[in-house]
Amino acid sequence: MSEQKIELYDGPAGGWGALKSVARTLNEQGIAVKGAKTLLHANQADGFDCPGCAWPDRDHRSTFEFCENGAKAVAAEATARRATPEVIGAKTLAEWAEVSDYELEATGRLTEPMVYDPETDRYQRTTWDAAFALIAQELQALPDPNQAIFYTSGRTSNEAAFLYQLFVREYGTNNFPDCSNMCHEPSGSGLRPTIGVGKGTVTLADFEQADCILVFGQNPGTNHPRMLGELRAARKRGAKIISFNPLRERGLERFADPQNAMEMATLGDSPISSHYFQLKVGGDFALLMGMCKRVVERGLLDHAFIAEHTHGFDAFIASLQAQPWAPLVAASGLTQAQIEQAADLYASSERVIACWGMGITQHRHSVATIQMIVNLLLLRGNLGRPGAGACPVRGHSNVQGDRTMGIFERPAPAFLDKLGEVFGFTPPRAHGHDTVGAIEAMLAGHGKVFIAMGGNFAAATPDTAATWRALRQCELTVHITTKFNRSHVVHGRKALVLPVLGRTEVDLQASGPQGVTVEDSMSMVHLSHGMNAPASEHLLSEPMVVARMAAATLRGSRTPWLQLAGNYAAIRDKIEAVLPDFAGFNDKLQQPGGFRLRNTASERVWVTASGKAQFSTHALPTDLATERIAARQRDQRVFTLTTLRSHDQYNTTIYGHDDRYRGVYGHRRVVFIHADDLKDLGLKAGDWVDITSLYCAEGSQDVQQRRAERFLLVAYDIPRGCLASYYPETNPLVPLESFSITARTPTSKSIPVVLTRHAEPGPAAADAA
């Protein structure tokens, strides 16, 4: 681990720091040469799709089509380290439970299927046949298929996801919690009723034509580094980049492109944001409503677009006119002049893209906030034309594709009709469990079997104590995965860990080498071919694991499971038969770069109830969680905590303990706080505190408390009254009952908390411990 220190970082995002980090990571994984060769195939037409984020690929003009964090993801998969049954079995699970997430990840690639032995409290080697027999036995023994829960990670390919949802629906349930439930579910929930699609409307070509790009609640320098190249290019040609974020983030300020020889040679960099507005955590709705109000007051509207393409305009205007400025200013954390400046910058631009990340989606009123973004775009016709549109920036590399393939607890009737017709069965119609619902079902004893296709459910979910209790109550937990992680330690009475091929590895099936497909954030679908030898001869592909589970479990199924898993082109033929947008699927994949799925909103075809794009009317939220708690805790200062990633992290995967751009080295249990708030609390940077979250349901008087101990205070440029800290360390503070309206996404970006000085144990207490 790095030396523990807090030290100001004054360099740009990217640059030599990124290259040094990549080189160090490859060396640490024991693949200096192999890793470098592997990276040259990342995001190439004949290579593999990066297993990191879902940012789209360019037209492969360079062999250098990866970023620092993508390189870490590739290195973690291509690592020379091996987590054999002997390595994992050397410790009891009680002992593994004391190991950090970083150390769990560092064990390396899993090599053989393992089963939990309760007598020794260890995982031990098993066979694939025995593993599938156990899964079939447990699933067949359930009196109700809805007692089984099937989780999906966003790294799952289209082919595996399609087979997975088919297997589960033939089994008889729609219980499909997935990672979308915890991140961009509000984007789909907000966009579908307003513009008719639950996805973004732009392509990379639009970024080349936009003269203004709005960035809300997003830190691309860490979460989507390749996006910085697009922002840099837009800024260089004169586009305005307007960022709205509580923290000052280096990736939104300055970027040194590692592909730019001049910048690297001269240690130069390029500015990113032309304007930066530091609003309060959760202040986006008020900001956006104020921007809309200003645009309307100045009359800077696209009247022709509004008349021809929209519905609900008059009601929306009336709501803006009735809204006073003072509450918007107070809720946003910006001055009226700042809100008006942001609105004027928007209104003076002809072609505008609005981007957002989880800083928008993980709030109580996230759906309303996204619909306010849509309102702002509609006012000036910034949807369905070149250089303009909505751009929710997704996380995992195929999280959007999984939803397209049917990984959804509330499937459309038309999809189920076609699925049943093509495969000759009657799909279940009742809605299934989302992520929060799945945890609640397991806690209540209604979820008996939990099967996860990738991911790290125990670390990614809210309310850690409740989630872990839920998983431990299951009769069987099954994890289909490449690496050992926290979820494998938090297990059911019976447990399996099943290792699969990674994205970088050759997938050889009965019909020959296979490629899988993924869909990126901008609806582009393309092939991915691995190039490395598998980490172990015992690995199966994800489609084959699903097929063998299904064949073992569904005795009367007419689906040729093993035949499909032996030839992924046959799976794609079935996808084409079920999903009209995939007509000619296998043929289209021969096009360089793949093909784009139809996006009706980008064509100004509005598949909504009114047949037009919908203005949404929402009142400014007044009963916010922090204010509600503050009214009850008058003797304590109540802050709003937002959770975030460090730079050495991708979702719950911890690559190291440094956060270079924020100046944090060797630490993960830190709290970022304004220097004046430190003074008011009588504390100083470097002190250790405990964090207690406080939750009170609307209409209730009971205040629930959750606690996470020993965090280092770091003075940072963040609005007063706001805090930030890393997850999953802070996930125990997120109440299971606190989620966004409609979308049910955990409110991990707006947690009311109080800080108390951490009491180090005295000598007697330490001796007793």
Side-chain angles (χ1 to χ4, degrees), residues 399-701:
V399 63
Q400 188 161 295
D402 288 350
R403 184 55 57 87
T404 301
M405 291 297 105
I407 302 296
F408 192 32
E409 75 278 0
R410 292 173 285 131
F415 170 79
L416 295 179
D417 289 343
K418 196 65 178 176
L419 189 71
E421 175 188 325
V422 170
F423 289 96
F425 76 106
T426 302
R429 299 284 164 161
H431 289 174
H433 295 310
D434 58 12
T435 294
V436 170
I439 298 169
E440 292 171 335
M442 288 186 284
L443 282 170
H446 303 315
K448 301 290 190 181
V449 173
F450 178 85
I451 299 177
M453 179 65 72
N456 188 355
F457 190 84
T461 41
D463 209 337
T464 304
T467 298
W468 289 13
R469 286 198 310 273
L471 288 168
R472 286 169 172 150
Q473 289 181 196
C474 290
E475 293 297 325
L476 173 68
T477 53
V478 180
H479 293 277
I480 301 161
T481 183
T482 57
K483 306 288 286 291
F484 199 55
N485 65 40
R486 182 65 55 192
S487 294
H488 312 148
V489 180
V490 184
H491 57 88
R493 294 178 180 88
K494 300 175 184 177
L496 290 165
V497 175
L498 306 180
V500 290
L501 294 169
R503 190 77 61 77
T504 61
E505 293 170 325
V506 174
D507 183 350
L508 184 62
Q509 301 298 335
S511 62
Q514 304 295 311
V516 297
T517 59
V518 297
E519 178 187 347
D520 63 33
S521 272
M522 297 180 187
S523 302
M524 291 295 299
V525 178
H526 52 274
L527 268 172
S528 173
H529 295 275
M531 45 85 69
N532 288 335
S536 164
E537 63 180 344
H538 302 290
L539 303 183
L540 296 182
S541 71
E542 287 185 337
M544 183 57 74
V545 169
V546 174
R548 290 188 64 178
M549 279 197 300
T553 305
L554 307 176
R555 293 170 179 165
S557 175
R558 299 191 300 183
T559 301
W561 294 104
L562 300 182
Q563 180 181 332
L564 290 172
N567 182 0
Y568 299 172
I571 302 175
R572 291 189 283 271
D573 285 340
K574 295 297 185 181
I575 293 171
E576 175 181 348
V578 173
L579 298 169
D581 287 347
F582 285 83
F585 194 178
N586 281 304
D587 291 337
K588 287 180 179 178
L589 289 175
Q590 305 311 310
Q591 303 171 17
F595 64 99
R596 189 177 189 229
L597 296 173
R598 187 186 182 199
N599 189 301
T600 50
S602 66
E603 304 170 14
R604 291 191 171 178
V605 175
W606 315 107
V607 188
T608 62
S610 65
K612 294 187 175 184
Q614 180 71 41
F615 278 99
S616 306
T617 301
H618 300 283
L620 177 68
T622 55
D623 188 21
L624 298 178
T626 298
E627 284 74 9
R628 190 164 61 247
I629 291 295
R632 290 168 169 77
Q633 306 288 128
R634 297 185 183 276
D635 59 334
Q636 291 179 293
R637 177 75 183 279
V638 180
F639 292 86
T640 302
L641 172 71
T642 184
T643 67
L644 38 74
R645 297 174 183 165
S646 74
H647 192 62
D648 263 357
Q649 173 180 359
Y650 191 77
N651 289 344
T652 58
T653 303
I654 310 300
Y655 299 126
H657 290 82
D658 294 348
D659 192 353
R660 186 170 74 250
Y661 299 155
R662 298 188 183 110
V664 177
Y665 299 88
H667 288 285
R668 283 198 56 81
R669 298 184 78 85
V670 299
V671 178
F672 299 103
I673 182 172
H674 193 283
D676 290 340
D677 285 333
L678 277 175
K679 293 177 184 177
D680 287 352
L681 293 172
L683 297 168
K684 63 183 185 301
D687 285 346
W688 293 88
V689 296
D690 299 331
I691 311 173
T692 302
S693 72
L694 305 169
Y695 173 71
C696 181
E698 295 178 26
S700 172
Q701 297 299 313

Side-chain angles (χ1 to χ4, degrees), residues 196-272:
V197 297
K199 308 177 182 181
T201 65
V202 300
T203 66
L204 287 180
D206 292 310
F207 277 79
E208 296 176 347
Q209 301 175 66
D211 55 14
C212 179
I213 300 171
L214 309 176
V215 182
F216 295 98
Q218 187 190 357
N219 178 21
T222 288
N223 300 332
H224 308 89
R226 284 190 295 148
M227 181 180 177
L228 292 181
E230 302 302 329
L231 297 180
R232 173 182 178 273
R235 181 73 194 277
K236 277 186 173 294
R237 61 176 173 75
K240 297 185 284 287
I241 310 294
I242 308 175
S243 295
F244 304 91
N245 204 65
L247 285 76
R248 296 293 298 193
E249 298 286 18
R250 186 50 46 88
L252 290 170
E253 295 176 320
R254 292 154 47 209
F255 174 55
D257 187 352
Q259 294 192 58
N260 186 290
M262 181 62 69
E263 280 189 353
M264 297 298 286
T266 61
L267 303 182
D269 57 66
S270 303
I272 297 297

Side-chain angles (χ1 to χ4, degrees), residues 723-754:
L723 307 172
S725 188
Y726 305 134
Y727 69 85
E729 289 82 357
T730 49
N731 284 357
L733 301 170
V734 185
L736 186 63
E737 304 91 336
S738 182
F739 45 75
S740 61
I741 299 169
T742 305
R744 289 169 54 85
T745 295
T747 56
S748 301
K749 294 292 187 285
S750 52
I751 312 165
V753 302
V754 297

